[in-house]
Amino acid sequence: MQKEIRKIQELDLRGKRVFVRVDFNVPLKHDGDKWVVTDSKRIEGALETIRHVIASEGKCILASHLGRPKGKRDSKYSLEPVGAKLSELLGKDVILTDDCIGDGAKSLSLRMRNGDVLLLENLRFHEGEEENSPDFVAKLLELTDVYVNDAFGTMHRAHASTVGLPKMVPQRGAGFLVQKELQYLSKLRELPERPFMLIMGGAKISDKISILEHFLPKVDKVFIGGAMAYAFLKSQGHSIGKSLCDEKQEQLASKILKIADARRVKILLPVDHVMARSLKDVAGMKTTENTEIPNDFLGVDVGPKTLELFKSELDGAKTIFWNGPMGVFEQPEFAKGTFELARIIAETAALKLAGGGDSAAAISQSGSDSKFDFISTGGGATLEFLEGREFAGLKVLEFRKTGDA
Ligand code: AMP
């Protein structure tokens, strides 16, 4: 029997307490005596679903984690600044509970009027969330008539709010953001239009190796930048100086190069680099003449010749997926390669998708986000989905096509 994910549009929300698992794990900074949200993209991403609950006359109860408070209340990880930002974006009051479970939250939920929005305090202030403990699930259930998950980035984890709770709620489905993630990422995973070009960067090669392996049979070219590239260059015998790379990574890179060669997939690596004596040595940064990096330097970004090469090789692509920065883009002087690549991709006629790790932040900082067709909100989850892994948080939302659970 074929299964499908039920959608929020198919649920009856009127007068119901709709528990919406969102991903409000946003960056914060300390400003004077309070914390403020520095990037509200994830909050904006949930607005369509929240507005739908309001318009359907449901009672919207939002739940999220923020940071890693390790099962204890910690004001540094309070969702209070998120509530303030959400209220500003929605143009309406958002009530924040002191705790995500307990009598206070329950009685507030029961007093809600249709169209009200309640934000529960950080789920991870309780160990039961990550442990998926039955007691914690039972407490969340006291607040829930209908369950919606709109937090794609958390669906690969079997936590109380992503798996334990929805199992107990017959009326459950996926929010608009999750639907959009599935639409684009499934297409990319199953049937990308070719030529399909994959661009990978960032530092954690071990996290990305299985995605490379998954895509090698259906990709036409792979572009590699960021710290990952040094493992590939080293395995080809180039000098990489003090650049980030260990032996295991070099072995993984060498394995990928062999598979790519056998499958006739072209792998493009940097042909020049921005380098410095250390990550702090901004003043001493230099651009190499060619692929080689001298012993006392480390690579911090791709160079201009690499960008030219990548630009010309991307020409004609029908699908591009980009994951991971080309350099240490958090340092403005080392961000040029990443930002410039975002602009190069933005100018192509391909279906332009990005996701995972820092890519969304980098694209947004480069000012090219509106030109991308879709930027996935998930970090590790996006990569795991593309590798073909099954998500516990998605499976729990599946129904047989003909009828009920
Ligand atoms: P990832 O989470 O694997 O996508 O890696 C992202 C991180 O890779 C960012 O924090 C970058 O600063 C880092 N990164 C990218 N290029 C380099 C490099 N050349 N050397 C050190 N770190 C890098």
Side-chain angles (χ1 to χ4, degrees):
M1 184 74 69
Q2 224 188 336
K3 302 247 181 102
E4 64 181 31
I5 305 281
R6 186 164 289 162
K7 300 180 173 132
I8 186 174
Q9 309 86 297
E10 295 161 339
L11 301 171
D12 178 15
L13 308 180
R14 188 157 191 277
K16 308 268 173 49
R17 291 171 308 162
V18 186
F19 182 104
V20 187
R21 176 55 160 106
V22 285
D23 184 359
F24 285 170
N25 186 26
V26 293
L28 300 174
K29 76 163 191 231
H30 216 185
D31 187 16
D33 58 349
K34 61 179 190 332
W35 290 91
V36 291
V37 175
T38 56
D39 182 350
S40 57
K41 284 256 151 19
R42 287 194 168 153
I43 306 176
E44 288 161 37
L47 289 178
E48 192 180 357
T49 291
I50 299 170
R51 289 197 176 113
H52 177 79
V53 178
I54 297 169
S56 308
E57 298 183 47
K59 299 165 184 175
C60 188
I61 301 184
L62 300 165
S64 178
H65 71 283
L66 175 67
R68 294 181 188 277
K70 305 218 168 84
K72 290 197 184 62
R73 172 173 284 276
D74 181 342
S75 59
K76 194 161 82 195
Y77 298 112
S78 168
L79 280 162
E80 196 176 341
V82 173
K85 188 73 203 173
L86 176 63
S87 172
E88 185 190 314
L89 291 168
L90 279 175
K92 89 186 248 115
D93 283 346
V94 173
I95 309 153
L96 177 74
T97 63
D98 273 346
D99 195 353
C100 62
I101 53 169
D103 292 343
K106 186 178 168 189
S107 89
L108 274 172
S109 82
L110 292 170
R111 291 209 304 271
M112 287 172 84
R113 287 163 307 170
N114 294 358
D116 280 353
V117 179
L118 188 74
L119 174 63
L120 302 178
E121 187 50 286
N122 197 338
L123 291 164
R124 289 198 188 159
F125 283 176
H126 293 267
E127 281 174 346
E129 164 63 358
E130 290 186 75
E131 288 168 1
N132 190 13
S133 86
D135 285 352
F136 188 68
V137 169
K139 293 277 184 202
L140 294 179
L141 193 57
E142 290 181 346
L143 314 170
T144 311
D145 300 320
V146 174
Y147 174 89
V148 171
N149 195 329
D150 211 22
F152 183 77
T154 66
M155 290 180 117
H156 57 324
R157 311 232 181 268
H159 292 169
S161 67
T162 57
V163 173
L165 177 65
K167 270 192 182 156
M168 312 295 285
V169 186
Q171 289 295 316
R172 55 186 189 265
F176 290 104
L177 187 60
V178 166
Q179 291 174 38
K180 214 179 288 167
E181 292 273 0
L182 291 175
Q183 179 199 333
Y184 281 104
L185 297 182
S186 304
K187 184 168 180 222
L188 187 63
R189 183 167 79 172
E190 314 309 336
L191 212 72
E193 200 181 340
R194 299 179 74 158
F196 169 34
M197 311 210 181
L198 178 64
I199 309 174
M200 305 224 76
K204 291 182 227 97
I205 186 169
S206 47
D207 283 10
K208 303 183 189 193
I209 221 77
S210 28
I211 185 170
L212 266 174
E213 284 180 322
H214 173 86
F215 276 126
L216 278 178
K218 34 190 143 194
V219 75
D220 296 281
K221 289 180 194 171
V222 178
F223 300 71
I224 297 175
M228 266 182 86
Y230 309 123
F232 286 83
L233 291 171
K234 188 151 185 234
S235 82
Q236 289 181 332
H238 292 288
S239 49
I240 61 162
K242 299 190 294 183
S243 305
L244 213 64
C245 175
D246 65 31
E247 207 170 309
K248 195 167 155 239
Q249 295 180 333
E250 200 188 323
Q251 282 164 7
L252 285 171
S254 159
K255 182 177 149 199
I256 289 289
L257 285 172
K258 282 200 191 95
I259 305 174
D261 197 38
R263 291 192 172 276
R264 298 185 194 286
V265 173
K266 193 164 177 183
I267 299 229
L268 290 127
L269 296 169
V271 290
D272 63 345
H273 315 271
V274 175
M275 60 179 185
R277 283 193 169 78
S278 76
L279 288 179
K280 295 211 173 81
D281 175 34
V282 174
M285 67 191 254
K286 288 187 180 144
T287 303
T288 62
E289 284 297 316
N290 53 33
T291 318
E292 314 309 315
I293 300 177
N295 282 344
D296 48 343
F297 281 86
L298 63 119
V300 291
D301 194 7
V302 294
K305 290 181 193 154
T306 304
L307 289 166
E308 272 306 310
L309 171 73
F310 283 13
K311 185 177 177 180
S312 73
E313 292 281 347
L314 282 168
D315 195 35
K318 284 261 166 46
T319 309
I320 297 175
F321 177 65
W322 180 23
N323 163 255
M326 293 291 105
V328 188
F329 80 105
E330 297 91 341
Q331 178 69 42
E333 290 80 1
F334 305 154
K336 197 165 171 225
T338 301
F339 291 174
E340 197 48 41
L341 181 66
R343 289 183 204 109
I344 290 170
I345 298 170
E347 292 312 317
T348 68
L351 179 76
K352 300 172 269 290
L353 309 173
D358 299 306
S359 310
I363 294 167
S364 141
Q365 283 170 38
S366 76
S368 315
D369 39 355
S370 63
K371 302 222 175 94
F372 276 70
D373 294 278
F374 186 64
I375 301 173
S376 174
T377 51
T382 305
L383 300 186
E384 285 192 22
F385 185 86
L386 292 175
E387 282 165 24
R389 298 228 199 137
E390 194 165 72
F391 282 15
L394 272 176
K395 209 168 163 39
V396 76
L397 302 181
E398 279 180 357
F399 286 79
R400 273 188 232 110
K401 241 185 165 171
T402 46
D404 238 331

